[in-house]
Amino acid sequence: MSGYSHEIQLATSFLCSSSGSLPLLDLHRKLLQCCHITKEEFRFIVQRCPRFQLVRGPGPAGGSGPEVCSVLAKTSLRLCSGYGWEQCSGSGCCPQLHLCKFFVYGNCRFGKGRKPCKFSHDIYSDHNFRLLRECTLQQLDAEQLFVLLLQNDPALLPEVCVHYNKGGPRGGCTFQESCTKLHLCQHFVQGDCMYGLNCKRQHTINQHSRRMLEERGLSGDIIHELPVICRNIHHLTSTATEKLPDSLCQTDERKEICLHFTRNSCRFQNECRRVHFYLPYKWEVLVGVTWTDLQHMENIERDFCDPSNTQSCGDPPVDFLTMTQASRPIRRLSTVSSVTKPPHYILTTEWLWYYRRDQGSWVEYGQPDEKQRTTSVTSRTLEEKFLSDRTTEVKVVKGQRRYVVSFKDMYQRNPKHNTKRRVCRRPRFVSVAEV
């Protein structure tokens, strides 16, 4: 997926500038205006990249028109709840953004007046920019980032009132005007309200909900967009993933280096569908519409294999987080993962999995840490599970503590203390001499 970082960043920007979602074909057309991307590449990105979720239903603006396949923007990034209560100083390795919640709502009264707000309004502070860069979201402006957070962070917006959607036309909510949840038609939010304009329940934000939202600090612009955001939230929390329409379902050959060619035994020769290269890895830069080999490939690979490196040492460096070099997209091709082949296959790619310690260093799964403690799973175990299902979660035990590794957002979570550590997947280095 790293080879398409430029396209992923563009698509994210388009989605966040359109209330968090776009019809699939509209997103494809927008991308075609900015970059050269085939239908196969677009299909691969929206289906496999954890940044996006496909859903079928009304378009982003809702309504009773025909159903379309839409793309929604996702992220695991959240606002730090402790920071808002001055319980998190902003130092260390907190994996959540340190921002004023009312700044995200677009209505912080301190930020607009003479008295400065005691909470950060800087999305590019050292702490925040590090997190944005790790999630490859640093290209978003403030408004785009806020849309992304609002539809993904469950702590930011109130839920739709369940009781309002039960009983008679006015619903069964006994709190009425004092209710702190949204009085919206649940079926409208789900996109399946059969009554349309004749529905007895609200399809827009009424005066009661508007007052409640304004008291919470939400700006008028966000309140206006809230029905769309609520619909996106509903789809993002649903488990079903939509398939692409037939117009975009074409075969997509993986850009994989041919193992047989590295041993001078490929019988297909020029007809081979895999890439023929003398190394088990290949670094390329996109120049115009052509992928071109990078110089000093071995040095780039050596730097990439070290999880503590976020860029190579060359000039200009390759940014491993955004997979760019001087704003040009970069991609890395490789042979198949070693876990998919028997041990006697040579020059397969051995992927190693790491978690980051509080001090910032990285420890490989299955290897002892500074206290000689090891995890219950190894790199090989994680790689096997990752290739079988890239959306699953893996339970990990280290000492007396239990964790969950999420492939979707590449974090290791401690469910008991609700803390997170970054997880990284990097290959084992193979030199030209070894090949």
Side-chain angles (χ1 to χ4, degrees):
M1 196 59 65
S2 59
Y4 298 105
S5 59
H6 178 62
E7 291 82 355
I8 291 171
Q9 290 176 9
L10 281 174
T12 304
S13 297
F14 290 141
L15 292 172
C16 293
S17 296
S18 303
S19 301
S21 62
L22 273 172
L24 180 74
L25 297 180
D26 287 357
L27 179 60
H28 189 213
R29 281 191 288 267
K30 284 179 175 289
L31 281 176
L32 286 175
Q33 294 173 3
C34 301
C35 59
H36 177 74
I37 181 170
T38 65
K39 287 183 178 180
E40 292 81 3
E41 290 172 326
F42 179 68
R43 170 182 176 267
F44 176 76
I45 288 171
V46 297
Q47 280 196 318
R48 300 294 293 274
C49 180
R51 176 70 52 76
F52 310 117
Q53 180 161 319
L54 285 166
V55 299
R56 186 172 294 278
S64 56
E67 286 193 337
V68 297
C69 197
S70 296
V71 186
L72 278 64
K74 293 167 50 180
T75 184
S76 62
L77 208 54
R78 303 287 186 263
L79 289 191
C80 175
S81 57
Y83 176 72
W85 293 95
E86 300 185 77
Q87 297 173 351
C88 187
S89 64
S91 59
C93 294
C94 177
Q96 297 170 321
L97 292 171
H98 290 175
L99 285 171
C100 168
K101 180 172 68 173
F102 299 102
F103 175 54
V104 175
Y105 287 161
N107 209 20
C108 179
R109 57 192 177 96
F110 294 109
K112 297 177 181 178
R114 293 181 179 179
K115 187 177 180 181
C117 182
K118 61 182 178 181
F119 299 112
S120 176
H121 285 204
D122 184 7
I123 67 172
Y124 300 119
S125 67
D126 290 344
H127 173 83
N128 291 332
F129 186 75
R130 174 178 62 82
L131 296 177
L132 292 173
R133 195 166 179 266
E134 286 180 355
C135 297
T136 63
L137 295 171
Q138 74 278 5
Q139 86 287 352
L140 297 181
D141 61 31
E143 290 186 2
Q144 292 171 339
L145 176 64
F146 297 164
V147 168
L148 188 63
L149 291 172
L150 285 168
Q151 73 178 28
N152 284 274
D153 190 339
L156 291 178
L157 295 175
E159 300 174 350
V160 173
C161 180
V162 175
H163 301 289
Y164 171 74
N165 282 275
K166 295 179 179 179
R170 290 179 172 267
C173 179
T174 56
F175 293 101
Q176 294 298 320
E177 294 300 313
S178 62
C179 183
T180 58
K181 296 186 177 182
L182 290 174
H183 284 191
L184 273 176
C185 171
Q186 183 65 50
H187 289 286
F188 168 75
V189 171
Q190 294 170 188
D192 59 2
C193 181
M194 66 178 69
Y195 299 106
L197 297 176
N198 296 321
C199 183
K200 301 295 185 182
R201 307 201 199 282
Q202 292 292 328
H203 286 198
T204 58
I205 302 298
N206 61 10
Q207 288 302 314
H208 150 67
S209 293
R210 178 174 292 275
R211 283 196 303 272
M212 181 268 295
L213 293 167
E214 288 174 345
E215 289 173 0
R216 289 186 65 147
L218 272 74
S219 68
D221 290 340
I222 291 178
I223 294 173
H224 177 73
E225 295 291 331
L226 210 52
V228 179
I229 296 174
C230 288
R231 176 166 292 172
N232 291 346
I233 292 171
H234 166 75
H235 288 310
L236 287 170
T237 53
S238 299
T239 56
T241 301
E242 194 60 45
K243 293 183 178 180
L244 285 172
D246 293 339
S247 61
L248 285 170
C249 283
Q250 300 181 11
T251 57
D252 175 39
E253 285 293 325
R254 293 182 60 189
K255 295 297 183 181
E256 184 180 283
I257 294 175
C258 177
L259 274 177
H260 299 285
F261 178 79
T262 60
R263 300 197 301 270
N264 297 317
S265 61
C266 180
R267 59 190 177 90
F268 295 106
Q269 299 299 321
N270 293 334
E271 301 299 320
C272 183
R273 293 184 177 182
R274 293 180 174 85
V275 176
H276 282 186
F277 197 59
Y278 69 97
L279 293 173
Y281 49 84
K282 192 172 191 275
W283 287 86
E284 298 178 332
V285 58
L286 186 62
V287 180
V289 295
T290 305
W291 288 101
T292 305
D293 289 359
L294 279 171
Q295 294 182 339
H296 311 299
M297 205 173 293
E298 183 181 20
N299 293 336
I300 296 172
E301 179 72 7
R302 181 184 290 106
D303 292 336
F304 180 66
C305 291
D306 184 346
S308 63
N309 290 331
T310 58
Q311 63 180 29
S312 66
C313 296
D315 185 20
V318 172
D319 189 316
F320 298 138
L321 297 180
T322 62
M323 289 303 281
T324 57
Q325 183 188 56
S327 76
R328 285 180 172 174
I330 297 293
R331 71 179 182 183
R332 178 187 182 275
L333 310 182
S334 68
T335 53
V336 295
S337 177
S338 59
V339 302
T340 66
K341 298 292 182 181
H344 68 271
Y345 273 73
I346 63 171
L347 297 180
T348 54
T349 299
E350 183 183 0
W351 290 95
L352 305 179
W353 288 77
Y354 303 87
Y355 61 89
R356 190 169 66 181
R357 297 174 57 216
D358 292 336
Q359 294 79 5
S361 60
W362 294 84
V363 180
E364 183 189 345
Y365 281 91
Q367 298 298 314
D369 62 10
E370 77 284 358
K371 296 182 180 179
Q372 299 303 306
R373 298 171 301 182
T374 58
T375 56
S376 59
V377 299
T378 62
S379 286
R380 183 175 182 86
T381 305
L382 288 173
E383 181 68 9
E384 289 173 344
K385 292 184 178 296
F386 177 74
L387 294 181
S388 64
D389 184 359
R390 301 191 181 204
T391 64
T392 193
E393 294 186 339
V394 181
K395 294 181 179 179
V396 178
V397 178
K398 188 177 76 170
Q400 301 298 317
R401 298 185 178 181
R402 299 179 182 274
Y403 304 94
V404 174
V405 173
S406 170
F407 295 145
K408 279 187 175 183
D409 54 14
M410 295 299 280
Y411 271 105
Q412 173 184 288
R413 298 196 314 276
N414 183 324
K416 182 178 179 181
H417 300 288
N418 197 29
T419 56
K420 296 198 299 185
R421 297 178 185 269
R422 289 291 298 175
V423 170
C424 183
R425 176 182 182 250
R426 295 286 176 93
R428 184 184 296 281
F429 177 65
V430 178
S431 68
V432 173
E434 288 177 272
V435 175

